[in-house]
Amino acid sequence: MANYIILDAGHAKVTAGKRSPDGKLREWEFNNDMQNRLKKRLEQLGFIVYLVNPEPDKGSEVSLGNRCTRANNYWVSKGKPNCLYISLHANAAGTGGWSSARGVETYTASNASTKSKNAAKCINTSIFEEVYKVDKGFKNRGCKTNSFYVIKHTNMPSILIEYEFYSNQAGVALLTNNRELLCEATLKGICKHFNVTYKPTASVAQPTNSSIPSVTRPFKNGTYNVKAKVTAGMLNVRAGRPGTAEYNTIIGKLSKNTIITVGYCLNEWFGIIYNGKQGFISGDYIEFI
């Protein structure tokens, strides 16, 4: 019997607010990108996927009631199969400025079924464990209960994921540069919940140099998420890549042989997390380990 996933990308392009303090990350775009990544990967593993908010970049926002109605009607039309409804979100804290809050938390409703609670635990744990491997500032905020409308009024097992805080600078870096990692971590948790064998994509099959987009210069653009060692005597960490206004701002320095985790590469400049903030270093002065 097939397993079904109903994905709900929170919010829409027209939704007011819901963006990082610097305006560089908008929650609706992250949520939508995640639902499309997950849909593709889930279907590769044999899941049947339905989207209740398929085009958040067009028109008005789909109401919470309509999201639940679409989900419930779809589930009934398929004969009430094994199914999980997942509402996808990024989080925020504070009053509009940068905050220190970080980490993943996953919600079920107060009337949640055992299956909902199991799914929340599997997925929340998987996201934390996979992200923490590359970002030691990432927190496990745990599984929580809340009466969010879409998980309270959907009839199948349902959860709501808050992946990370876009009100935190390191959180924005994670949400921007590590979406494949977040997708695969979510997928692992889903597979565990449904007792389905997880099969990674070729690019994330093994955390070794074979999974890096390119280990020889010139480095290909893409997400790496691997350890590297500084080869320069002293390497500047800049606030922005070349061509940006922040490039001339040096936020720190890394001494020779310092071990770091490099994230997204663009034109041979790698994003890193430096003292909890997004930084950038030249690929000329690192080697993978």
Side-chain angles (χ1 to χ4, degrees):
M1 180 179 294
N3 295 310
Y4 287 71
I5 300 291
I6 299 176
L7 295 176
D8 179 4
H11 310 301
K13 187 174 183 179
V14 297
T15 307
K18 304 294 183 183
R19 66 190 69 192
S20 60
D22 60 6
K24 292 182 179 180
L25 185 140
R26 298 186 65 180
E27 187 189 350
W28 79 268
E29 185 277 327
F30 168 78
N31 300 338
N32 184 48
D33 188 35
M34 285 299 295
Q35 81 166 349
N36 289 323
R37 288 172 183 267
L38 283 167
K39 182 177 187 295
K40 178 179 178 179
R41 290 288 288 121
L42 285 162
E43 290 174 344
Q44 290 174 352
L45 295 183
F47 288 86
I48 297 175
V49 182
Y50 176 69
L51 308 181
V52 298
N53 184 26
E55 296 182 321
D57 58 328
K58 300 178 181 179
S60 59
E61 181 161 8
V62 178
S63 70
L64 301 182
N66 281 341
R67 294 170 195 247
C68 294
T69 297
R70 290 178 181 182
N72 292 334
N73 288 346
Y74 178 79
W75 185 54
V76 170
S77 73
K78 299 301 179 181
K80 298 183 178 181
N82 292 330
C83 183
L84 179 64
Y85 176 100
I86 307 176
S87 183
L88 305 169
H89 288 264
N91 217 338
T95 57
W98 295 111
S99 72
S100 61
R102 290 206 62 192
V104 60
E105 55 192 31
T106 303
Y107 289 87
T108 55
S110 57
N111 61 343
S113 65
T114 299
K115 288 185 177 180
S116 296
K117 294 175 181 178
N118 180 71
K121 181 178 179 180
C122 289
I123 294 170
N124 194 86
T125 299
S126 181
I127 293 170
F128 169 70
E129 290 180 347
E130 294 302 312
V131 175
Y132 187 74
K133 292 176 183 177
V134 301
D135 184 350
K136 299 305 182 186
F138 193 63
K139 306 295 183 183
N140 184 355
R141 299 171 65 89
C143 297
K144 301 181 179 181
T145 300
N146 197 294
S147 296
F148 292 129
Y149 192 95
V150 293
I151 54 175
K152 184 178 180 180
H153 294 278
T154 41
N155 298 330
M156 69 295 299
S158 305
I159 66 171
L160 184 149
I161 305 171
E162 295 276 12
Y163 278 97
E164 170 64 301
F165 286 80
Y166 57 82
S167 54
N168 181 283
Q169 289 177 305
V172 170
L174 174 67
L175 294 168
T176 302
N177 300 328
N178 293 279
R179 295 182 182 182
E180 182 180 11
L181 174 64
L182 292 170
C183 175
E184 294 302 311
T186 307
L187 190 64
K188 287 181 180 180
I190 293 171
C191 287
K192 182 176 181 180
H193 170 67
F194 282 95
N195 196 27
V196 170
T197 300
Y198 166 76
K199 297 178 181 178
T201 61
S203 63
V204 296
Q206 296 293 331
T208 65
N209 283 355
S210 63
S211 67
I212 300 170
S214 172
V215 296
T216 58
R217 297 184 56 81
F219 298 121
K220 294 181 180 178
N221 293 342
T223 301
Y224 285 63
N225 291 328
V226 296
K227 298 291 184 181
K229 180 172 66 175
V230 175
T231 59
M234 192 66 68
L235 177 59
N236 289 331
V237 182
R238 298 181 181 272
R241 291 187 173 90
T244 67
E246 295 82 5
Y247 173 73
N248 291 325
T249 301
I250 297 175
I251 62 174
K253 296 178 180 291
L254 299 172
S255 58
K256 188 173 183 179
N257 295 324
T258 298
I259 305 301
I260 53 174
T261 298
V262 296
Y264 188 79
C265 177
L266 179 64
N267 299 331
E268 302 200 50
W269 278 75
F270 288 88
I272 67 168
I273 301 301
Y274 181 83
N275 288 340
K277 297 182 179 180
Q278 174 72 72
F280 299 91
I281 59 173
S282 170
D284 288 339
Y285 306 108
I286 62 170
E287 63 180 25
F288 297 118
I289 58 174

